[in-house]
Amino acid sequence: MSPMLEVKDLRGGYGLVKVLHGLDFHVNESEVVVILGANGAGKTTTLRAISGMIQTTGSVKLAGEEINSAKPADIVRKGVAHVPQGRGTFPELSVEDNLTVGAYARKDNEVQADMDKWYEIYPVLFERRTQTAGSLSGGEQQMLAVARALMSRPELVLLDEPSLGLAPLIVEDLFERFAEINKKSGTTLLVVEQNAQLALGIADRAYVLEAGTIAIEGDAADLIDDDTIRKVYLGI
Amino acid sequence: MQLFVQRLFDALANGSTYALVAVALVLIFKATTLVNFAQGELAMLGAFVTLVLAYEQGIPMWLAVFLAMIILGVFAAGVERVLIRPFDPADHLPLVIITLGLFLGINAMAGIVWRFDPRSFPELFPSGNAFTWGSASLRWYTVFTVLTVLVTIGLLQLLLNKTKIGLAFRAVSSNLESSELVGIRVGPTLQFGWALAAAVGTLGAAVYVADPFRQLEPSIMLRVLIFAVSAAALGGLDSLWGALAGGIAIGAIQSLVVPYVPFIPNELGLAAAVVVLMLVLLVRPAGLFGTPAVSRV
Ligand SMILES: Nc1ncnc2c1ncn2[C@@H]1O[C@H](COP(=O)(O)OP(=O)(O)OP(=O)(O)O)[C@@H](O)[C@H]1O
Ligand SMILES: [Mg+2]
C-alpha cells in the first residue's frame, strides 16, 4: 500500500530564493511524523509546498495520487488540512464563522454536529462563539486554528509550529489533543516543531531538516535517546 | 430655518447617492484593500447602458436598470479576470495603475460612443414633493433614494452574512492565505466582489442621474467618485453602514457647512469635503466605523 504522503526530490522556494534542495520523506497512514529543524531550515516552506501554496518541482503523492501541481483548493478537497505558522485564523470573522468556513469544502450535512463536538472539547470557543477570532488569546486562537482545520474532516493534517508563543501548560494540553485525535480517528499528522522533546513524545518517526535537505531520519524514540542528535540538533 | 431644512434634505439626497458608490468601493476594498478608481466610470457606463436599454430598446426603466446592473456585473467580472487577476494581489501599485487606466479608458470610450454632451435621463422615482414646509420641500426623489440605499445595504448585509459565497467573500477579506487553505477559490470570489460592486455602482449612477436636475454625460461620475471615496474613507473603507454614514456626512458638509461658512467659496465644496476627511483620518485613521488595524499574534 502506498503511504499517505510520499515526497520525492522536492525542490523549490520563493522566486530566485531556493529553499528546498531535494527532500525525500514519507508519512504512513495513521502515523504521527515530526519535522524538526532550526529557524530558516525550510520547514514552513515544505508544508506550503505540500498544500500547494508555492510552486515546486519533484513529486508529492497523496495516497498514491500526484498532487504537486494541484491548487490549494483541490488539495483540501483531497483530504489535507493545514494549520499554518502563526495560527492562520480569520481575525475579523467570529469564532463560529471560522469553524463554518473550515468546513467550506464539505458537502455533507454534519457540519453542525462537528462544530458542537469542538465546542464540547473546547468550551471556551463556545463561550466566545460570537466574538471575533482576532480578539481571542494566543492559546484560544491555536485551539480555534486546530478545530478549524479539523472541520474539513481531513485525512492528513499539517501542523506548523503549533507550540509557538504558547505557555508550556497549554502546549502540553495541545499535544495531548493531537495524540488523541490521531488515536481516536486515525488521522495522520505531520507536525513541524521547534519544541523537539514534546513533539518526539507523540511522534512515531521524525526527520531533521537542515538547510533544505533531510539530514537525519529515524524513529522518534531513537532520536530522543541519541546523545549527539540531542546535543547538535535538538538542544535538549 | 426653512433654508436650513431644505439644505438638510439636499444633504440627504446627495449623501445617499455618494453612499451607493461608496458601498461599491467598500466591497472591492474589503476584498482587496484596494480603492478601485474606475468604480465611478464603471457606474457611468452602467447608466449609459440603462439609457440605451430604456430608450433604444424600449425596456421599462426599472427593468433597464436591473439589466444594466447584470451587464455591468458581467463586464466587471471579465475585467477582473483579464486585467486584475494576473497580477499579484499583494502588490498594489500595478493594480492602482490598472484601475486608473480603466478609468481613463472607459471615460474615453463613453465619450466616443455617446459624445460628451449631456443627455436627459428618465426619472426612476415619482416626481413632486413628499412633504413641504414653507419654502423647504422634501422631494419624493430624496425619499426613494434614501430607501434605495437602505434596501441595498440591507440586502448586501444578508448576502455577506447569510450565504456561502458571502462567507467566502468575508473570509478572503480577512485572510487570503487561510482562505485558500480551507478550499475557497480566491480568484472567483474576488471576481464576484467586482461584479457585485459594479452592479451596486450602476444602481448608484442611475439613481444619481435620475434626479431631474441632473443629466447624464461621460464625466458625470468624476465629482461623485471623489465624494464617494471620501465617504468610504470617512466610514472606514471596510464597513457598509460606515459608507452610508460617510456619504451622508459628506453630503452634509457639501450642502450645510459650505454655505454657512462664509470663507469657503462654493467652488471649493469638493475640497472642503476632502479637508474634513483628512481631519477625521488624523484623529481616527481607521475612519469612523472601520476596523482598526490591530492584530494579536
Ligand atoms: N515569502 C518568502 N519570500 C522569500 N523568502 C522566503 C519567504 N518565506 C521564507 N523565505 C526564506 O526561506 C527560508 C526558509 O523559510 P521557512 O519559513 O521555510 O523556515 P522555517 O524552517 O519554517 O523557519 P522557522 O522555524 O523560523 O519558522 C528562509 O531563509 C526564509 O528567509
Ligand atoms: Mg516556519
Short mmCIF file of all heavy atoms in Angstrom, two decimals, chain A residues 39 85-87 138-139 142 160-167 171 174-175 193-195, chain B residues 297:
data_model
loop_
_atom_site.label_atom_id
_atom_site.label_comp_id
_atom_site.label_asym_id
_atom_site.label_seq_id
_atom_site.Cartn_x
_atom_site.Cartn_y
_atom_site.Cartn_z
N ASN A 39 15.57 27.52 12.79
CA ASN A 39 14.89 28.60 12.08
C ASN A 39 15.47 28.72 10.67
O ASN A 39 16.67 28.68 10.48
CB ASN A 39 15.11 29.94 12.80
CG ASN A 39 14.36 29.99 14.11
OD1 ASN A 39 14.97 30.15 15.15
ND2 ASN A 39 13.07 29.83 14.06
N GLN A 85 1.77 28.37 10.24
CA GLN A 85 2.52 29.01 11.32
C GLN A 85 1.83 30.33 11.66
O GLN A 85 1.41 31.06 10.77
CB GLN A 85 3.95 29.26 10.86
CG GLN A 85 4.87 29.73 11.96
CD GLN A 85 6.34 29.64 11.54
OE1 GLN A 85 6.69 29.01 10.54
NE2 GLN A 85 7.20 30.27 12.31
N GLY A 86 1.70 30.63 12.94
CA GLY A 86 1.00 31.86 13.33
C GLY A 86 -0.51 31.70 13.26
O GLY A 86 -1.22 32.68 13.06
N ARG A 87 -0.99 30.47 13.36
CA ARG A 87 -2.41 30.14 13.53
C ARG A 87 -3.26 30.22 12.26
O ARG A 87 -4.03 29.33 11.98
CB ARG A 87 -3.10 30.99 14.59
CG ARG A 87 -2.16 31.51 15.67
CD ARG A 87 -2.32 30.78 16.99
NE ARG A 87 -1.45 31.35 18.00
CZ ARG A 87 -0.29 30.81 18.35
NH1 ARG A 87 0.15 29.70 17.77
NH2 ARG A 87 0.44 31.37 19.27
N GLY A 138 -3.80 34.01 22.48
CA GLY A 138 -2.98 33.15 21.63
C GLY A 138 -3.36 31.68 21.74
O GLY A 138 -3.50 30.98 20.74
N GLY A 139 -3.54 31.23 22.97
CA GLY A 139 -3.90 29.84 23.19
C GLY A 139 -5.26 29.49 22.60
O GLY A 139 -5.44 28.46 21.96
N GLN A 142 -5.06 29.20 18.91
CA GLN A 142 -4.49 27.94 18.43
C GLN A 142 -5.53 26.82 18.51
O GLN A 142 -5.63 26.00 17.60
CB GLN A 142 -3.23 27.59 19.23
CG GLN A 142 -2.41 26.46 18.64
CD GLN A 142 -1.94 26.75 17.22
OE1 GLN A 142 -2.64 26.50 16.26
NE2 GLN A 142 -0.75 27.29 17.09
N ASP A 160 1.99 23.52 11.63
CA ASP A 160 3.24 24.28 11.57
C ASP A 160 3.49 24.99 12.89
O ASP A 160 2.86 26.00 13.20
CB ASP A 160 3.18 25.28 10.42
CG ASP A 160 4.56 25.79 10.04
OD1 ASP A 160 5.50 25.64 10.84
OD2 ASP A 160 4.70 26.34 8.92
N GLU A 161 4.43 24.46 13.65
CA GLU A 161 4.81 25.03 14.95
C GLU A 161 3.63 25.42 15.81
O GLU A 161 3.48 26.58 16.20
CB GLU A 161 5.74 26.23 14.75
CG GLU A 161 7.03 25.80 14.08
CD GLU A 161 8.21 26.74 14.39
OE1 GLU A 161 8.27 27.22 15.54
OE2 GLU A 161 9.03 26.93 13.50
N PRO A 162 2.79 24.43 16.15
CA PRO A 162 1.61 24.76 16.97
C PRO A 162 1.97 25.29 18.35
O PRO A 162 1.17 26.00 18.96
CB PRO A 162 0.87 23.42 17.07
CG PRO A 162 1.87 22.37 16.71
CD PRO A 162 2.83 23.01 15.77
N SER A 163 3.18 25.02 18.82
CA SER A 163 3.52 25.44 20.19
C SER A 163 4.01 26.88 20.26
O SER A 163 4.16 27.43 21.35
CB SER A 163 4.61 24.52 20.76
OG SER A 163 5.85 24.82 20.16
N LEU A 164 4.22 27.49 19.11
CA LEU A 164 4.84 28.81 19.07
C LEU A 164 4.09 29.84 19.92
O LEU A 164 2.92 30.10 19.73
CB LEU A 164 4.89 29.29 17.61
CG LEU A 164 5.88 30.41 17.31
CD1 LEU A 164 7.30 29.87 17.33
CD2 LEU A 164 5.59 31.02 15.95
N GLY A 165 4.83 30.41 20.86
CA GLY A 165 4.28 31.51 21.65
C GLY A 165 3.23 31.11 22.67
O GLY A 165 2.51 31.97 23.18
N LEU A 166 3.13 29.83 22.99
CA LEU A 166 2.13 29.41 23.96
C LEU A 166 2.79 28.99 25.27
O LEU A 166 3.91 28.49 25.29
CB LEU A 166 1.30 28.25 23.42
CG LEU A 166 0.54 28.50 22.11
CD1 LEU A 166 -0.29 27.30 21.74
CD2 LEU A 166 -0.35 29.73 22.24
N ALA A 167 2.06 29.14 26.36
CA ALA A 167 2.55 28.74 27.67
C ALA A 167 2.70 27.22 27.73
O ALA A 167 1.94 26.50 27.10
CB ALA A 167 1.59 29.20 28.75
N VAL A 171 0.63 24.18 25.75
CA VAL A 171 1.30 23.36 24.73
C VAL A 171 1.12 21.88 25.04
O VAL A 171 0.78 21.09 24.16
CB VAL A 171 2.79 23.72 24.66
CG1 VAL A 171 3.50 22.79 23.68
CG2 VAL A 171 2.97 25.16 24.23
N LEU A 174 -2.30 20.81 24.22
CA LEU A 174 -2.47 20.77 22.77
C LEU A 174 -1.91 19.47 22.19
O LEU A 174 -2.55 18.80 21.38
CB LEU A 174 -1.75 21.98 22.17
CG LEU A 174 -2.21 22.48 20.82
CD1 LEU A 174 -3.65 22.94 20.90
CD2 LEU A 174 -1.31 23.63 20.39
N PHE A 175 -0.71 19.09 22.66
CA PHE A 175 -0.09 17.88 22.11
C PHE A 175 -0.83 16.62 22.56
O PHE A 175 -0.92 15.65 21.81
CB PHE A 175 1.40 17.83 22.46
CG PHE A 175 2.24 18.58 21.48
CD1 PHE A 175 2.27 19.96 21.48
CD2 PHE A 175 2.95 17.90 20.50
CE1 PHE A 175 3.00 20.67 20.55
CE2 PHE A 175 3.70 18.60 19.56
CZ PHE A 175 3.73 19.98 19.58
N GLU A 193 7.99 21.29 14.28
CA GLU A 193 8.14 21.81 15.64
C GLU A 193 9.56 22.26 15.96
O GLU A 193 10.53 21.77 15.39
CB GLU A 193 7.73 20.74 16.67
CG GLU A 193 6.38 20.98 17.31
CD GLU A 193 6.24 22.36 17.95
OE1 GLU A 193 7.24 22.95 18.38
OE2 GLU A 193 5.10 22.86 18.02
N GLN A 194 9.66 23.21 16.86
CA GLN A 194 10.94 23.56 17.47
C GLN A 194 11.05 22.87 18.84
O GLN A 194 12.11 22.57 19.32
CB GLN A 194 11.05 25.08 17.70
CG GLN A 194 10.90 25.91 16.47
CD GLN A 194 12.22 26.37 15.92
OE1 GLN A 194 13.28 25.95 16.38
NE2 GLN A 194 12.17 27.22 14.91
N ASN A 195 9.88 22.65 19.42
CA ASN A 195 9.83 22.00 20.71
C ASN A 195 10.00 20.50 20.52
O ASN A 195 9.05 19.73 20.48
CB ASN A 195 8.49 22.31 21.38
CG ASN A 195 8.47 21.86 22.83
OD1 ASN A 195 9.18 20.91 23.21
ND2 ASN A 195 7.67 22.52 23.63
N VAL B 297 -0.75 38.54 17.88
CA VAL B 297 -0.01 37.42 17.30
C VAL B 297 0.11 36.30 18.34
O VAL B 297 0.22 36.57 19.52
CB VAL B 297 1.38 37.86 16.84
CG1 VAL B 297 2.07 36.73 16.10
CG2 VAL B 297 1.24 39.06 15.92
#
